[in-house]
Amino acid sequence: MTGQGFEVRRARTGDVRAIKEIVEPLVQQRILLGKELVVLFESLQEFAVAVDDAGEVIGCGALHVMWEDLGEVRTLAVRADWLGRGVGHALLDYLEGEARALGLHRLFCLTFEVDFFERHGFAPIDEQLLVDPEVYIELLRSPDEGVAEFLDLSRVKPNTLGNTRMLKAL
């Protein structure tokens, strides 16, 4: 997928340090949760990156499968000097395409960027149970913090203050 002076592709191991650099300022601002370098390497297959014409990583985003029909958009970030140039939109479009290819029917995100995600068809969700009770029980067994955020468990509340839980049907 290409845009004005950039393209979006699947992330490679050589991109991980650049992903960390792009995400770190947002971690410092408490917009994104920090991830250790090893965790980024372990989850590399979930990531897509936007690269400029020189091959430099200018944005990233990840798609995490949570259940058979449900995924989460994670770690969507764009380098400051590329903001407002369609990079975030292109990354999200790419991740949505990947979600459809995997057979997912819903995408979740936890974000401060409500307007951005609303422009892509996401809608805020309240405290309602978004899965069947038996799926809820299965999801409770997951050690993944993103799953806990989706379920709105009290143990993740300090990490999610001010964020909006959003969902999109694909």
Side-chain angles (χ1 to χ4, degrees):
M1 173 178 281
T2 60
Q4 290 275 136
F6 67 91
E7 71 171 331
V8 177
R9 62 164 170 77
R10 182 165 293 287
R12 303 175 187 143
T13 57
D15 300 326
V16 171
R17 284 178 175 76
I19 291 170
K20 177 92 169 151
E21 285 178 26
I22 290 168
V23 169
E24 194 56 33
L26 299 170
V27 171
Q28 296 304 316
Q29 296 170 49
R30 300 184 58 118
I31 293 171
L32 291 177
L33 292 176
K35 293 187 172 139
E36 298 296 330
L37 200 56
V38 66
V39 173
L40 291 172
F41 275 109
E42 289 173 342
S43 59
L44 180 65
Q45 67 278 6
E46 296 182 351
F47 274 87
V49 293
V51 294
D52 65 14
D53 290 338
E56 276 193 60
V57 177
I58 58 170
C60 63
L63 173 65
H64 181 77
V65 176
M66 298 171 72
W67 197 249
E68 64 187 314
D69 70 330
L70 178 66
E72 179 184 9
V73 173
R74 295 181 171 181
T75 320
L76 187 61
V78 176
R79 212 169 70 187
D81 57 330
W82 277 85
L83 288 173
R85 295 168 66 181
V87 177
H89 294 284
L91 281 161
L92 186 53
D93 288 346
Y94 181 93
L95 294 173
E96 287 182 9
E98 292 290 297
R100 285 183 184 91
L102 289 170
L104 300 178
H105 300 288
R106 297 182 297 160
L107 281 180
F108 165 76
C109 71
L110 182 68
T111 186
F112 288 106
E113 300 295 333
V114 174
D115 292 342
F116 172 84
F117 281 95
E118 281 183 333
R119 285 193 302 271
H120 281 271
F122 284 77
I125 52 176
D126 55 23
E127 307 302 316
Q128 69 194 14
L129 187 60
L130 300 171
V131 293
D132 294 334
E134 49 280 353
V135 173
Y136 183 87
I137 297 296
E138 288 293 326
L139 290 174
L140 281 175
R141 295 182 176 127
S142 173
D144 186 88
E145 290 298 301
V147 172
E149 291 165 349
F150 171 75
L151 297 175
D152 203 29
L153 300 180
S154 59
R155 71 178 168 86
V156 295
K157 291 288 189 193
N159 295 334
T160 62
L161 291 177
N163 284 321
T164 300
R165 297 164 70 233
M166 301 185 81
L167 194 68
K168 176 179 183 173
L170 296 177

